[in-house]
Amino acid sequence: ADSQAAIEIDNLTVSYGSNQILRGLNLQVPRGSIYGLLGANGAGKTTLIKTLLGIRTPDKGHVRVLGFEAVKQRQEISARVGYVSESSNFYEYLNVKELCLLCRKTQRHWNQDKVDHYLQLFALPGKKTLRKFSKGMKTQLALCLSLGNEPDLLLLDEPTEGLDPLAREVFLNILINEVAASGTTIFFSSHVIPEIAAIADHVAIVYEGKIVLSDELDNLRSSHKILLLA
Ligand code: ATP
């Protein structure tokens, strides 16, 4: 599969029962971009990300991720996509070292040196035998592990939520200086506008089930469409 965009969404409708959350949503995420997704609580950001991973099945519409069709080619997508959710959870009986070994066994491709490098940046290696993690540590660990298979696309659902200021800084530095710099596309939801302004090159806003605004950050800045991004 080959395609220009990392994510292509055409007329997507997704519901929970009779409750339509996404209603004819369109979005194109260029390869290599750092794409920030804004939207109020309950707007459907998590639902959208889960649909990209093939976890939610659309009622209608087309969703292609790295040229693969979501749901139908879910395995192809999960082999190439990293995912950090708001509430990353791990097998509680495994420590960091064991989690890495498990990933190495289950992933098609695994670069432990890179994972060790990221763990180091978060000062997590000293905790390699730890198996109970705080919320923020889970997020840090989820990022480190999600990068182990050197994904072409990284999906992040409110990733810096709950991180302390230093961990937040490390997290954002890894995203910009290592992940994006290596050509990986990053698609992340956030409520923190200064954070989006600091790292994203594209922004979209989801409202009432649709993307109501999407553009390059520089265009939004110069047109003053989102004053807070100025
Ligand atoms: P937040 O910013 O609060 O994380 P969000 O934009 O990520 O919100 P979603 O989690 O996608 O929003 O939720 C969108 C809507 O879907 C909400 O109205 C929510 O009530 C509904 N919803 C989410 N998960 C389920 C579920 N498992 N069953 C039924 N409804 C759900």
Side-chain angles (χ1 to χ4, degrees):
D2 192 20
S3 126
Q4 285 299 322
I7 298 171
E8 292 177 274
I9 301 174
D10 185 25
N11 197 26
L12 172 67
T13 298
V14 181
S15 311
Y16 290 100
S18 59
N19 192 7
Q20 267 195 1
I21 306 301
L22 305 179
R23 307 173 189 172
L25 182 144
N26 298 301
L27 182 68
Q28 301 271 333
V29 174
R31 284 196 191 239
S33 59
I34 306 182
Y35 211 114
L37 180 66
L38 277 163
N41 289 136
K45 301 178 298 296
T46 300
T47 303
L48 175 58
I49 291 175
K50 286 187 174 167
T51 307
L52 298 173
L53 291 162
I55 298 169
R56 301 273 349 149
T57 304
D59 302 338
K60 260 196 343 197
H62 289 284
V63 179
R64 295 185 81 82
V65 178
L66 300 169
F68 297 102
E69 216 174 302
V71 185
K72 218 185 209 174
Q73 295 180 290
R74 188 174 158 169
Q75 263 92 18
E76 303 281 8
I77 293 171
S78 62
R80 292 164 178 82
V81 173
Y83 173 48
V84 179
S85 78
E86 296 172 275
S87 49
S88 296
N89 265 309
F90 304 100
Y91 298 107
E92 294 246 319
Y93 50 88
L94 296 182
N95 64 32
V96 176
K97 212 170 160 184
E98 291 160 346
L99 283 168
C100 290
L101 285 171
L102 177 68
C103 289
R104 167 175 251 152
K105 285 215 169 85
T106 52
Q107 297 286 342
R108 210 177 49 153
H109 167 74
W110 188 252
N111 186 335
Q112 185 62 43
D113 288 345
K114 267 208 177 153
V115 176
D116 286 339
H117 165 68
Y118 297 128
L119 290 170
Q120 184 94 44
L121 293 177
F122 282 119
L124 280 170
K127 303 177 180 112
K128 269 203 162 168
T129 54
L130 197 69
R131 51 190 94 226
K132 293 278 182 200
F133 313 104
S134 71
K135 185 184 176 213
M137 285 164 70
K138 282 180 184 171
T139 306
Q140 298 170 22
L141 188 55
L143 179 71
C144 296
L145 296 177
S146 73
L147 296 172
N149 69 346
E150 302 182 311
D152 296 327
L153 170 66
L154 186 59
L155 300 175
L156 306 161
D157 197 352
E158 293 177 38
T160 58
E161 157 80 12
L163 290 183
D164 69 57
L166 179 62
R168 183 179 293 244
E169 184 114 347
V170 171
F171 196 104
L172 296 178
N173 274 331
I174 291 176
L175 290 187
I176 299 170
N177 299 328
E178 314 223 15
V179 183
S182 74
T184 298
T185 308
I186 299 174
F187 184 72
F188 73 107
S189 70
S190 178
H191 292 292
V192 189
I193 290 180
E195 193 171 283
I196 289 191
I199 74 163
D201 50 38
H202 287 71
V203 180
I205 298 175
V206 59
Y207 178 73
E208 294 190 342
K210 291 188 176 65
I211 299 294
V212 292
L213 182 76
S214 64
D215 207 341
E216 290 179 34
L217 192 71
D218 288 344
N219 292 340
L220 292 172
R221 278 200 174 106
S222 54
S223 64
H224 302 288
K225 275 202 178 127
I226 305 179
L227 290 173
L228 286 166
L229 294 176

